[in-house]
Amino acid sequence: MGEAAAEKDFYWKLFKSTFIISAFTIGGGFVIIPLLKAKFVDEYKWMDDKEALNLVAIAQSAPGVVAANAAISMGYKLGGIRGTLTALLATILPPLIISYAYDAFAHNQYIQLVLKGMQCGATAIIINVAIDLLKKELKKKFALPLLIIVGTFIANYFFNVNLMYAVIVDAVIGFFLLRDKKYA
């Protein structure tokens, strides 16, 4: 396979996989994490686990939609500006198509049932991601990150603290305390 054909194949794979991930990401930004990892890390081996997690963390911390931010950061990492445009187009097309046909789907009982089932699956994926992240932190055996996780959960779940405020507090704690390697 020539270089031009290999490049074309790469961008088609990037477009197709990102399009499919976007089309089936029901549940928001947390659902996209395992799907991106499964495709870009596990299947295509385009990046390693840590690199993908770092790009997703950047995508989640940047303003805007997590899926679009992830497409921008991963697309740029994989293929520069052309990779960014490919991944971003593939990410925004499914919601645009769905919004165009919204009236046809909005009151269809079968579509509603399918979406309900997808929401249940998305919930399971989010719980799986949370458990995986917690396991990774437990393996590190550092108390401070675990305290941040538990404290944030308690603040939000039991005291209804707005997650935005909790994340800001977590960021400050991370900046001042976790930069010392003995805590991280």
Side-chain angles (χ1 to χ4, degrees), residues 33-47:
I33 297 167
L35 298 176
L36 290 172
K37 180 191 173 300
K39 191 55 83 175
F40 295 156
V41 175
D42 300 336
E43 184 178 336
Y44 292 148
K45 312 252 187 277
W46 286 343
M47 61 183 67

Side-chain angles (χ1 to χ4, degrees), residues 61-142:
S61 63
V65 178
V66 173
N69 291 345
I72 290 167
S73 62
M74 289 193 171
Y76 187 77
K77 171 69 178 149
L78 295 171
I81 297 296
R82 193 167 167 201
T84 300
L85 295 174
T86 301
L88 186 58
L89 179 64
T91 300
I92 63 172
L93 272 178
L96 285 175
I97 293 167
I98 291 168
S99 68
Y100 181 74
Y102 177 77
D103 287 336
F105 295 137
H107 303 293
N108 184 310
Q109 70 181 26
Y110 300 110
I111 298 292
Q112 296 302 317
L113 293 171
V114 167
L115 290 173
K116 200 53 106 173
M118 291 174 79
Q119 287 174 343
C120 295
T123 302
I125 290 171
I126 292 169
I127 290 169
N128 186 47
V129 169
I131 290 169
D132 285 348
L133 290 172
L134 186 60
K135 283 180 184 176
K136 286 179 184 177
E137 288 302 322
L138 286 170
K139 285 180 184 176
K140 293 179 186 177
K141 297 182 180 171
F142 292 115

